[in-house]
Amino acid sequence: QVQLQESGPGLVKPSETLSLICTVSGGSVSGYYGSWIRQTPGKGLEWIASIYYTGRTSYNPSLKSRVSISLDTSKTQFSLNLTSVTAADTAVYYCARSGDWFDPWGQGTLVTVSS
Amino acid sequence: DIQLTQSPSSLSASVGDRVTITCQASQDIGNSLNWYQQKPGKAPKLLIYDASTLQTGVPSRFTGGGFGTDFSFTITSLQPEDIGTFYCHQYDQLPITFGGGTKVEI
């Protein structure tokens, strides 16, 4: 079955860029969106961005000025960049394949913003 | 943004109990609502989509209902493996939003 796995640094310095990759195995995002969601104790689950397999993107307005999402041509990897991070961006970041719902999800990766 | 208000925020019940969680949307979202279960240290797992459709492989003791602004999620007979936090999620309008979660304990 389709599985997703997040990868990237677990520690990012304030003001730097957080970069994560989601690798899809057992399938691709063709016909679907690749999405990023993060979870913090304080704000719960927060949708960050989605990219359709055609390349069309959607961003949460609360993060739009700092976020970019991209998809590789094989449709088996998509990436997240979040610039100018602060401690408030410390969270577990999940990737998910989505249409009208998120399924499946990756296991999540904790990213801590600290000097 | 569409706000989703879940209640209660937590509950404790006994094995075999019927448990109901509600999710109220700040505006009409039709049936554009999904439910997820998150176990500690794990990613959320889709249980119900389009307000009332059970995802393949999910036990039938989980049910969902509602339309418009008021939705409910019910576990008809609580089992020990059902502990976790349950979230509603709307996809009617961007930005996609989630409810605050309901933690279910035995």
Side-chain angles (χ1 to χ4, degrees), chain A residues 35 37 39 44-47 50 58-61 94 99-103 105-108, chain B residues 1 34 36 38 41-46 49-50 55 87 89 91 94-99:
Chain A
S35 296
I37 304 107
Q39 185 170 32
L45 289 164
E46 181 180 30
W47 169 71
S50 297
S58 300
Y59 295 102
N60 192 321
Y94 294 101
D100 290 335
W101 47 84
F102 298 109
D103 181 68
W105 297 57
Q107 66 183 25
Chain B
D1 299 5
N34 306 316
Y36 301 83
Q38 185 176 34
K42 301 293 188 181
K45 172 190 172 186
L46 177 70
Y49 61 90
D50 292 345
Q55 170 70 331
Y87 295 93
H89 147 235
Y91 59 89
L94 293 180
I96 292 165
T97 51
F98 292 87

Side-chain angles (χ1 to χ4, degrees), chain B residues 35-94:
Chain B
W35 291 94
Y36 301 83
Q37 176 189 31
Q38 185 176 34
K39 296 187 177 182
K42 301 293 188 181
K45 172 190 172 186
L46 177 70
L47 298 180
I48 288 173
Y49 61 90
D50 292 345
S52 61
T53 303
L54 198 65
Q55 170 70 331
T56 303
V58 173
S60 59
R61 65 180 179 274
F62 296 110
T63 65
F67 190 88
T69 60
D70 296 303
F71 300 85
S72 64
F73 172 84
T74 297
I75 308 172
T76 56
S77 177
L78 187 66
Q79 299 302 303
E81 62 267 31
D82 296 340
I83 60 168
T85 303
F86 294 82
Y87 295 93
C88 56
H89 147 235
Q90 70 81 22
Y91 59 89
D92 184 68
Q93 288 184 27
L94 293 180

Side-chain angles (χ1 to χ4, degrees), chain A residues 60-80:
Chain A
N60 192 321
S62 68
L63 297 167
K64 187 174 183 178
S65 63
R66 300 193 291 129
V67 172
S68 64
I69 188 171
S70 60
L71 177 65
D72 79 340
T73 54
S74 70
K75 312 287 191 288
T76 61
Q77 277 194 341
F78 56 98
S79 302
L80 174 73

Side-chain angles (χ1 to χ4, degrees), chain A residues 12-18 38 63 65-67 81-89 113:
Chain A
V12 181
K13 290 182 168 53
S15 79
E16 296 190 343
T17 296
L18 181 161
R38 69 182 183 180
L63 297 167
S65 63
R66 300 193 291 129
V67 172
N81 281 335
L82 179 65
T83 63
S84 304
V85 297
T86 70
D89 295 309
V113 178

Side-chain angles (χ1 to χ4, degrees), chain A residues 29 31-35 50-53 56 58 78 96-100:
Chain A
V29 297
Y32 296 91
Y33 292 86
S35 296
S50 297
I51 185 164
Y52 199 42
Y53 75 104
R56 186 180 76 222
S58 300
F78 56 98
R97 194 174 73 170
S98 61
D100 290 335

